Amino acid sequence: MLKIPEEAGGLLQIQDKSGLYSETLSQAKHRNFPFVQLSSTNCQVRGLVPLITWKGLSSLTKMPPSCRWLPAQPSTMHTLVFLSTRQVLQCQPAACQALPLLPRELFPLLFKVAFMDKKTVVLRELVHTWPFPLLSFQQLLQECAHCSRALLQERLSTESMQAVILGLTSRIHTQERGAGTQPFCRKHALRVLDMTGLLDDGVEQDPDTMSMWDCTAAVARTCIAQQQGGTAEPGLSPVPVEIRVDLRVNRGSYTFLREALQSSVDSPLRLCCRDLRAEDLPMRNTVALLQLLDAGCLRRIDLRFNNLGLRGLSVIIPHVARFQQLASLRLHYVHGDSRQPSVDGEDNFRYFLAQMGRFTCLRELSMGSSLLSGRLDQLLSALQRPLESLELAFCALLPEDLRCLSQSSHAAHLKKLDLSGNDLSGNQLTPFQGLLQAVAATLLHLELTECQLADAQLLATLPTLTRCGSLRYLGLYGNPLSMAGLKELLRDSVVQAELRTVVHPFPVDCYEGLPWPPPASVLLEASINEEKFARVEAELHQLLLASGRAHVLWTTDIYGRLAADYFSL
């Protein structure tokens, strides 16, 4: 038996068929491990409750590990606790049988490992016997002390997601029994299953993973099936469980989602929506859906119409405004030409402003592709509290709109600002620079895609832009910038210590026969000289290395999920 004293340093490694795992002894001692004992057949870590021994695990999995102690060195591998958990779950029937005997403190890591390794039998049983009131994906599937993998940043496994849902329905269907029938009765503990925060990357369907649309459908069908399954026996009503989800709905999924929300009102599975995104629904369906949502749960409403005029907006907005605790409102394609106002149009806009004044907690507002020319001041003045995120992409903003924003109470609080698709050259450049100065102290995320910023406008703006000392993300895709302009930006942005991502355009030097000034559509569709662009990428990379900024990502990938959601800032 090899003994490593408490004062020793270094790294403990265990190699088995599942891979190589390690833990520094300082990590072990931080969790009050008095000492570690190792051998090829018996490795035990004292200090856990209960004591976990590798001898017992090896007899369970038939895979005795080999162990060694190395001199001190940096480690990013899994911890011993993670390794032991993964080993326990190799034999699923035995692991399920052992669950009632394990301390509840191990359940969170057991869940993450089972989810990651698609141990669906164990996963179902974990949900069925979950010992805490809350089972939260955001808490359990993020990076943790034992495993650096953050599953919520990936498309989640369909098998694992279905196992969680099946475990929940099994829990509900199981008739309540006396506490004396099991060593530990935990069936009454779970009250909330929080499945919010799933990746919504918009990529093509993958049968092995579950998107947010898939999750919406799966949860909705589960709620409907539960309600159709009949009622429990008298006196054996199951303890209700609230399912928190982010719902995505379109014309194809509207009917069964509405049925699910209706059926969950008196069901032991109560569907609760945190973020709602509805795409291209008729107004009557949108209103019907909003009427079924619980105001106490809803955080964000995201409505995307093909063309919603001011009259349509006046129909929708009172049903939205009843959610006075709403934190994020995203309304797209609200068309109403302010340059040719009508009496009805003005009445509808005033009604819209009055309804916007009802929100008491709104922190994010997105009005993408809406005609707000000359009206931004009215909109911002109607709000009760300063915004922290404002998205005004393709809103045909005028110079006075930019000046009003910079002078408003919102400017000093903005963390995220999106002005994409607004022409910021010409008369708009000076007001835009004034706006940048007003938001410099708080701004973290700036999106300026397709804003007609050429080298001259960028260079004139750099002194103000570099004052945004907390800026983490800068989006400049679709602007007619040359390699010389990008190099100036890279050099000047060295002072922005928090900057992590720059999404830049293909330099105009890399196009063949480009008209000048080039329309945004040409920049997005014209062919690139790949050889020239490869040289540009290499030169930018060398400049980043030379300036000690190799950790900053410079990319032309606008689909890489690099833009942060407001709630993640």
Side-chain angles (χ1 to χ4, degrees):
M1 179 76 69
L2 171 64
K3 290 188 178 182
I4 302 176
E6 184 177 2
E7 61 270 17
L11 184 69
L12 178 68
Q13 287 191 338
I14 295 181
Q15 177 76 50
D16 69 6
K17 293 181 181 178
S18 298
L20 179 66
Y21 305 90
S22 66
E23 177 165 352
T24 63
L25 294 181
S26 61
Q27 287 176 315
K29 287 181 284 188
H30 181 70
R31 289 200 299 276
N32 299 318
F33 294 165
F35 60 88
V36 180
Q37 294 181 324
L38 305 176
S39 76
S40 61
T41 59
N42 184 358
C43 170
Q44 59 187 18
V45 181
R46 299 186 185 276
L48 288 178
V49 182
L51 181 68
I52 296 177
T53 67
W54 277 107
K55 184 175 182 180
L57 296 179
S58 296
S59 65
L60 174 65
T61 62
K62 307 300 182 184
M63 292 192 297
S66 60
C67 309
R68 57 180 174 148
W69 174 62
L70 302 178
Q73 61 185 22
S75 172
T76 57
M77 300 181 183
H78 297 126
T79 65
L80 282 172
V81 176
F82 179 92
L83 172 61
S84 62
T85 303
R86 175 168 270 177
Q87 291 287 75
V88 164
L89 300 186
Q90 293 300 316
C91 179
Q92 294 194 72
C96 290
Q97 192 173 11
L99 284 182
L101 305 176
L102 294 178
R104 49 188 274 158
E105 290 78 12
L106 291 179
F107 271 60
L109 187 56
L110 285 165
F111 183 90
K112 182 174 183 179
V113 176
F115 200 104
M116 181 188 305
D117 292 348
K118 303 178 185 178
K119 302 296 184 182
T120 55
V121 176
V122 175
L123 203 53
R124 288 178 60 176
E125 189 63 23
L126 279 168
V127 177
H128 187 241
T129 60
W130 192 250
F132 305 103
L134 172 66
L135 195 164
S136 169
F137 279 24
Q138 294 196 67
Q139 293 179 9
L140 299 172
L141 301 182
Q142 292 287 16
E143 180 178 351
C144 66
H146 303 293
C147 174
S148 60
R149 185 173 172 185
L151 293 174
L152 279 187
Q153 296 177 13
E154 310 169 14
R155 289 279 293 267
L156 297 183
S157 159
T158 298
E159 290 181 57
S160 295
M161 290 289 288
Q162 289 175 340
V164 171
I165 294 172
L166 289 172
L168 182 63
T169 55
S170 173
R171 182 190 189 101
I172 294 297
H173 289 155
T174 300
Q175 294 182 356
E176 300 296 339
R177 301 185 185 276
T181 61
Q182 296 187 29
F184 299 97
C185 185
R186 294 165 168 165
K187 292 182 181 294
H188 293 285
L190 185 61
R191 294 292 183 273
V192 177
L193 171 60
D194 189 339
M195 302 174 71
T196 60
L198 273 62
L199 179 65
D200 186 22
D201 55 7
V203 299
E204 293 183 3
Q205 176 68 32
D206 176 2
D208 296 327
T209 60
M210 185 171 282
S211 68
M212 197 136 0
W213 296 94
D214 301 326
C215 182
T216 295
V219 172
R221 291 190 176 102
T222 300
C223 291
I224 294 171
Q226 169 62 34
Q227 187 67 9
Q228 293 175 346
T231 59
E233 296 178 16
L236 298 176
S237 298
V239 178
V241 177
E242 179 181 290
I243 309 177
R244 294 178 186 169
V245 287
D246 298 327
L247 296 178
R248 302 292 181 264
V249 58
N250 55 21
R251 290 174 183 263
S253 60
Y254 164 76
T255 301
F256 69 79
L257 181 56
R258 181 192 61 186
E259 184 180 352
L261 288 167
Q262 290 172 334
S263 65
S264 73
V265 174
D266 299 316
S267 169
L269 295 182
R270 297 177 182 172
L271 193 57
C272 184
C273 175
R274 184 190 68 162
D275 294 352
L276 173 70
R277 176 172 167 179
E279 293 192 5
D280 195 26
L281 279 184
M283 281 193 295
R284 65 180 182 280
N285 292 354
T286 303
V287 170
L289 205 60
L290 291 171
Q291 290 173 338
L292 293 172
L293 298 180
D294 183 353
C297 295
L298 202 60
R299 182 184 71 167
R300 167 181 282 162
I301 293 178
D302 185 346
L303 303 180
R304 301 175 182 234
F305 298 91
N306 282 335
N307 189 350
L308 180 68
L310 287 174
R311 183 175 181 180
L313 183 62
S314 66
V315 173
I316 293 290
I317 194 62
H319 300 280
V320 175
R322 78 178 182 88
F323 302 102
Q324 296 183 22
Q325 302 299 310
L326 200 68
S328 172
L329 176 60
R330 305 175 67 84
L331 299 169
H332 305 266
Y333 301 101
V334 179
H335 291 169
D337 196 341
S338 61
R339 291 163 292 192
Q340 295 180 347
S342 64
V343 174
D344 287 344
E346 288 301 309
D347 288 343
N348 288 327
F349 190 68
R350 281 194 295 269
Y351 181 69
F352 166 65
L353 295 178
Q355 296 297 316
M356 291 297 293
R358 294 174 58 186
F359 296 109
T360 58
C361 299
L362 197 65
R363 294 172 302 191
E364 178 182 50
L365 178 63
S366 175
M367 297 288 293
S369 300
S370 301
L371 287 176
L372 294 176
S373 304
R375 288 182 162 180
L376 186 59
D377 183 39
Q378 293 174 270
L379 175 58
L380 297 178
S381 299
L383 302 177
Q384 287 197 33
R385 59 176 292 173
L387 296 170
E388 294 182 354
S389 175
L390 181 60
E391 298 183 10
L392 300 170
F394 298 92
C395 285
L397 298 182
L398 302 176
E400 54 263 37
D401 294 313
L402 298 175
R403 280 191 289 267
C404 289
L405 176 55
S406 64
Q407 296 165 8
S408 72
S409 61
H410 304 274
H413 296 84
L414 284 177
K415 297 179 180 179
K416 182 176 182 180
L417 179 62
D418 186 351
L419 297 175
S420 297
N422 293 286
D423 186 350
L424 299 180
S425 63
N427 293 335
Q428 281 93 335
L429 184 62
T430 299
F432 167 61
Q433 292 168 348
L435 174 58
L436 274 186
Q437 188 169 353
V439 302
T442 57
L443 196 63
L444 305 176
H445 187 108
L446 179 61
E447 188 67 73
L448 301 173
T449 298
E450 297 183 42
C451 288
Q452 294 298 308
L453 294 172
D455 286 1
Q457 289 80 31
L458 178 64
L459 295 179
T461 306
L462 277 178
T464 309
L465 179 61
T466 53
R467 292 194 189 106
C468 300
S470 300
L471 195 67
R472 302 173 189 167
Y473 175 97
L474 176 62
L476 290 169
Y477 194 85
N479 288 289
L481 298 174
S482 70
M483 180 57 184
L486 291 178
K487 288 197 290 187
E488 285 296 323
L489 172 62
L490 191 150
R491 293 190 188 102
D492 287 12
S493 64
V494 168
V495 299
Q496 294 173 295
E498 300 300 319
L499 190 62
R500 292 294 179 269
T501 304
V502 177
V503 180
H504 64 87
F506 293 99
V508 292
D509 318 57
C510 298
Y511 291 88
E512 304 289 351
L514 195 66
W516 198 264
S521 58
V522 173
L523 291 176
L524 296 176
E525 297 173 5
S527 60
I528 302 294
N529 185 313
E530 298 292 346
E531 184 177 342
K532 287 183 179 180
F533 182 63
R535 291 197 295 268
V536 166
E537 283 191 307
E539 188 172 355
L540 289 175
H541 180 65
Q542 289 302 317
L543 288 172
L544 286 169
L545 289 175
S547 62
R549 305 282 283 167
H551 61 283
V552 181
L553 175 64
W554 277 60
T555 179
T556 57
D557 181 11
I558 59 174
Y559 302 108
R561 304 193 305 273
L562 300 172
D565 181 78
Y566 161 68
F567 291 109
S568 68
L569 292 176

